[in-house]
Amino acid sequence: MLSVSNATVHYEAADGRLIHALQDVSLGIDDGELVVGLGASGCGKSTLLNAIAGFVKLTSGSITVDGAPVTAPGADRGVVFQRDTLLPWASTLDNVAFGLRLRRIGKRERRERAMELLRLVGLDAFHAAPPWQLSGGMRQRVGLARALATDPKILLMDEPLGALDSLTRESMQELIVKLWARTHKRVLFITHSIEEALILGTRIIVFSPRPGRIVQRFDVGFVHDVLAGRDASEMKADPSFVALRQEIRALIHAGAGA
Amino acid sequence: MNLVTVQTHDALVPASTPPAARRRGRRQVRLRLFSVAVSFAMLVSWGLVSGLGLVSPLFLPSPWRVAHQAVVLAQNGYAGATLWGHAGASQARVTIAFAIASALAVPIGLAMGANRWVKAGLDPVIEFYWPLPPLAYLPLVIIWFGIGETAKITLLTLAMFAPVCLAAQSGVRSVAIERVHAAQSLGATRWQVFAHVLLPSALPEILTGMRIAMGVGWGTLVAAELVAATKGIGFMIMSAANFLATDIVFVGIAVIAVLAIASSLVLRVAERLLVPWRGRG
């Protein structure tokens, strides 16, 4: 269980103003949950992810993973970034195996495990290519495989599909849902796309900016329809999908206007 | 094992298409030809100006006179050493100083880029000395290290240190923070972040800094060989100038140019071999 209680992050901006990036946020993520953090930019959703990852220190409050408090980044929390963070001098395979190498796992074993993960994301044919020869969508899949390689307790995804075109994005959403169902990892997925949140999440937490806080939580089940192979465009036209999308949109707009 | 199959819409980024590449190639050829043509035109005007006697050979010897002098120097040498002896002495000084400067500047620059205390400590010293012209501190170097090889190599090392040090610093500081975060969340320790992320990320800039340092080294050579040298191209130039042997000065300049270009080429090849990903992330 990942547990966030009363997490607050204040920091001083360059001009000296105090920014309330995150205010009293509490959240639990259980095994098998795919929680989506949703909100306009600057609402604190990425700050929450960065705090859980250990990149940002809390001003007050606490974060624990299976009871152990988070104080610094660590391999128990895998991160997939929006920006490409692959190492350009290493092959695709070595990038996926990077976390295993840091743990001093033998070359043969880490290559085997990395190859298995590359097969899982459909890129085993590109294992020898350097990352700069891959497309943006492929690079994000490598990033996903790399984050899974160290078998983290939770996967943190910070708008990983934000820079992709819509077709690539849809196939990536499908891949993420399938990987989640297969590995049963806890996932925190950050996005500003309401549709993406509805398609992926078992739970959606909606953020409101200044100060960044959670204004509403929704338990949703469309992700099970995706897993059952339901057509995405048909699902997006479903009256319950449309109604929920409208409700969340109104909520976000109200928060942004306040 | 039940593997997930993925439907993908993205494909490999295509390499530049053949027609565009060919057009680019043709433009490259035309640009090269233009470079050669302009250089040739300047050579011809030099020949005309000196050949028609418009300027005294004392100021501007003709190209064929310089070429002839080069042959004579190659056969008979100058002031007790062959032309190769002079070139070799200079090349050795620059190479040794380059090695010492790089060996010092890379770790110091990396440490300055990675740790703000190291930077705060060393910044004033380096910022103070690096813009100084080497000729300004040459007398000090001679007073401290004498008139032997040590002083010459020290002067060249001081001049070549700063570009490499500054490049290593900036290489470390321009690493995207996400790349460091990614390594940390894969379990990297501080030392592993340094060895596996910061150092290789800074390598392209370090190599650029080394190429600049090499240029600075050759640029400082004449100053280094100004005092108490009996060998070296810089010494040859200064000595010939005392006798108003302008043609020998020209030969010396040409030799320095050739050696400097050759060093730069070697470093460019090293760059291509060591950092093939350069400019691609």
Side-chain angles (χ1 to χ4, degrees):
Chain A
M1 166 98 169
L2 168 92
S3 161
V4 178
S5 57
N6 303 105
T8 298
V9 175
H10 293 174
Y11 63 89
E12 208 173 299
D15 58 2
R17 279 183 311 136
L18 195 67
I19 307 288
H20 298 245
L22 208 60
Q23 190 72 46
D24 275 327
V25 166
S26 296
L27 173 74
I29 302 182
D30 260 326
D31 283 352
E33 274 196 297
L34 204 167
V35 176
V36 178
L38 178 68
S41 39
C43 69
K45 57 191 195 297
S46 287
T47 306
L48 174 64
L49 183 139
N50 285 331
I52 296 173
F55 306 147
V56 165
K57 293 246 179 302
L58 292 182
T59 308
S60 65
S62 71
I63 299 172
T64 57
V65 179
D66 293 341
V70 166
T71 54
D76 56 334
R77 286 148 287 140
V79 184
V80 181
F81 297 82
Q82 175 173 10
R83 272 179 63 177
D84 176 16
T85 57
L86 301 177
L87 306 175
W89 50 86
S91 69
T92 298
L93 186 73
D94 287 340
N95 263 290
V96 175
F98 184 44
L100 303 172
R101 183 173 174 206
L102 294 173
R103 274 189 204 175
R104 308 190 190 290
I105 286 170
K107 191 167 189 169
R108 179 189 291 198
E109 190 186 344
R110 67 176 190 246
R111 296 209 151 184
E112 257 167 37
R113 274 162 77 176
M115 203 60 196
E116 195 179 310
L117 282 158
L118 276 178
R119 257 195 298 276
L120 212 57
V121 297
L123 287 178
D124 43 328
F126 295 95
H127 66 94
W132 39 268
Q133 281 182 358
L134 306 181
S135 70
M138 289 170 143
R139 284 202 293 269
Q140 283 306 67
R141 282 190 268 154
V142 177
L144 190 55
R146 179 179 69 175
L148 286 171
T150 47
D151 196 23
K153 290 175 175 164
I154 181 168
L155 202 54
L156 305 168
M157 308 180 81
D158 191 4
E159 302 196 39
L161 313 183
L164 304 180
D165 65 84
S166 60
L167 286 176
T168 309
R169 198 169 173 143
E170 277 173 21
S171 71
M172 282 291 287
Q173 288 168 354
E174 241 172 84
L175 172 67
I176 288 167
V177 167
K178 282 176 178 167
L179 285 176
W180 165 73
R182 190 170 188 267
T183 60
H184 234 70
K185 288 255 177 267
R186 301 163 233 185
V187 178
L188 175 63
F189 187 104
I190 301 297
T191 182
H192 55 249
S193 158
I194 301 171
E195 277 195 354
E196 189 162 276
L198 286 167
I199 289 170
L200 294 179
T202 57
R203 187 143 48 100
I204 298 174
I205 49 177
V206 180
F207 284 80
S208 151
R210 284 175 294 273
R213 62 191 197 283
I214 298 175
V215 286
Q216 191 104 310
R217 298 156 201 255
F218 297 90
D219 287 312
V220 282
F222 298 105
V223 64
H224 300 295
D225 295 351
V226 175
L227 274 175
R230 189 171 171 194
D231 181 62
S233 56
E234 185 211 333
M235 194 173 62
K236 286 176 193 171
D238 189 302
S240 62
F241 190 99
V242 173
L244 205 48
R245 191 177 63 196
Q246 289 308 104
E247 188 184 343
I248 294 174
R249 171 163 296 143
L251 198 61
I252 289 174
H253 279 288
Chain B
M1 194 194 318
N2 171 29
L3 293 174
V4 177
T5 53
V6 199
Q7 198 191 338
T8 58
H9 300 277
D10 45 16
L12 265 180
V13 179
S16 59
T17 51
R22 224 176 301 136
R23 219 172 310 133
R24 222 173 15 243
R26 269 203 303 271
R27 195 170 55 211
Q28 275 307 327
V29 170
R30 279 206 295 271
L31 286 169
R32 280 280 153 78
L33 280 176
F34 184 65
S35 301
V36 171
V38 170
S39 307
F40 187 72
M42 290 174 80
L43 203 63
V44 168
S45 27
W46 173 19
L48 281 175
V49 168
S50 54
L52 294 174
L54 298 176
V55 180
S56 152
L58 182 62
F59 296 114
L60 189 67
S62 63
W64 45 92
R65 190 159 157 187
V66 172
H68 176 251
Q69 188 59 257
V71 174
V72 171
L73 283 172
Q75 283 165 353
N76 304 340
Y78 179 85
T82 62
L83 187 59
W84 316 120
H86 289 299
S90 295
Q91 179 72 61
R93 285 175 191 135
V94 170
T95 307
I96 291 169
F98 176 77
I100 297 173
S102 301
L104 291 173
V106 170
I108 291 175
L110 289 173
M112 287 175 76
N115 185 306
R116 62 189 98 160
W117 283 98
V118 179
K119 180 166 172 61
L122 295 179
D123 231 7
V125 187
I126 290 170
E127 290 291 326
F128 168 78
Y129 105 82
W130 87 260
L132 297 176
L135 266 176
Y137 50 80
L138 173 65
L140 275 183
V141 172
I142 287 170
I143 291 169
W144 289 340
F145 297 100
I147 54 172
E149 281 306 302
T150 316
K152 296 175 182 62
I153 286 169
T154 303
L155 189 83
L156 290 172
T157 304
L158 280 171
M160 291 164 103
F161 175 87
V164 181
C165 180
L166 295 175
Q169 265 185 68
S170 120
V172 170
R173 271 179 298 157
S174 59
V175 178
I177 187 69
E178 287 95 338
R179 198 180 268 182
V180 174
H181 280 164
Q184 287 175 332
S185 61
L186 289 168
T189 60
R190 282 173 72 104
W191 171 249
Q192 283 176 325
V193 167
F194 182 78
H196 292 285
V197 179
L198 296 184
L199 178 60
S201 296
L203 198 55
E205 274 200 63
I206 291 175
L207 289 169
T208 304
M210 285 183 171
R211 205 140 46 78
I212 294 170
M214 194 55 104
V216 170
W218 285 108
T220 312
L221 181 74
V222 180
E225 295 177 349
L226 205 54
V227 174
T230 54
K231 248 189 189 181
I233 296 292
F235 154 74
M236 187 180 94
I237 291 174
M238 294 313 294
S239 157
N242 287 336
F243 300 110
L244 294 179
T246 323
D247 45 359
I248 296 180
V249 173
F250 268 68
V251 174
I253 290 171
V255 171
I256 290 183
V258 168
L259 292 176
I261 290 170
S263 323
S264 174
L265 268 178
V266 169
L267 288 175
R268 266 181 206 279
V269 171
E271 258 176 70
R272 204 166 307 159
L273 293 176
L274 286 169
V275 291
W277 71 86
R278 170 169 213 134
R280 283 151 163 163

